[in-house]
Amino acid sequence: MFLPLPPPFFGMVFIALGVPLLAAGSKRTRRFIQHLRWRYYRHNEKVEYLLARMPGFVRRHGHKTRPDGLMRSHKMAASARERLKG
């Protein structure tokens, strides 16, 4: 008996839809995704591009993982270190 299986790409679609939903309910996951988006900022532009084309509920949860707050905290920590030096 032969059972055709879907290509691996279809699984990636479900992962791409599920991760923002998981981040909406888990602070640890949201912070982890923020860190990844901050660290790989070049790919963040692609993520923003794709989020703009997703359904509304995915887009809302995806915007919660923007690394803006993380960037702000890194800048504040750097300025605090400079004040301590000077």
Side-chain angles (χ1 to χ4, degrees):
M1 178 178 209
F2 177 71
L3 180 66
L5 297 175
F9 173 73
F10 293 132
M12 295 303 292
V13 171
F14 290 113
I15 290 172
L17 291 173
V19 168
L21 296 176
L22 178 62
S26 170
K27 188 173 185 178
R28 176 183 266 178
T29 306
R30 185 169 52 246
R31 292 279 169 95
F32 178 68
I33 294 170
Q34 282 178 336
H35 178 73
L36 288 177
R37 288 179 67 179
W38 173 75
R39 185 170 177 161
Y40 302 106
Y41 62 91
R42 291 184 182 145
H43 298 293
N44 186 39
E45 294 174 6
K46 295 175 189 173
V47 170
E48 288 293 329
Y49 174 81
L50 291 173
L51 278 175
R53 280 142 182 79
M54 291 286 181
F57 70 96
V58 176
R59 188 171 44 237
R60 278 191 303 275
H61 295 306
H63 286 304
K64 291 180 182 179
T65 63
R66 282 185 173 166
D68 301 334
L70 196 60
M71 285 188 245
R72 218 172 17 254
S73 67
H74 282 288
K75 286 180 185 177
M76 288 173 30
S79 66
R81 275 184 257 135
E82 287 179 15
R83 279 183 278 160
L84 290 175
K85 285 182 183 179

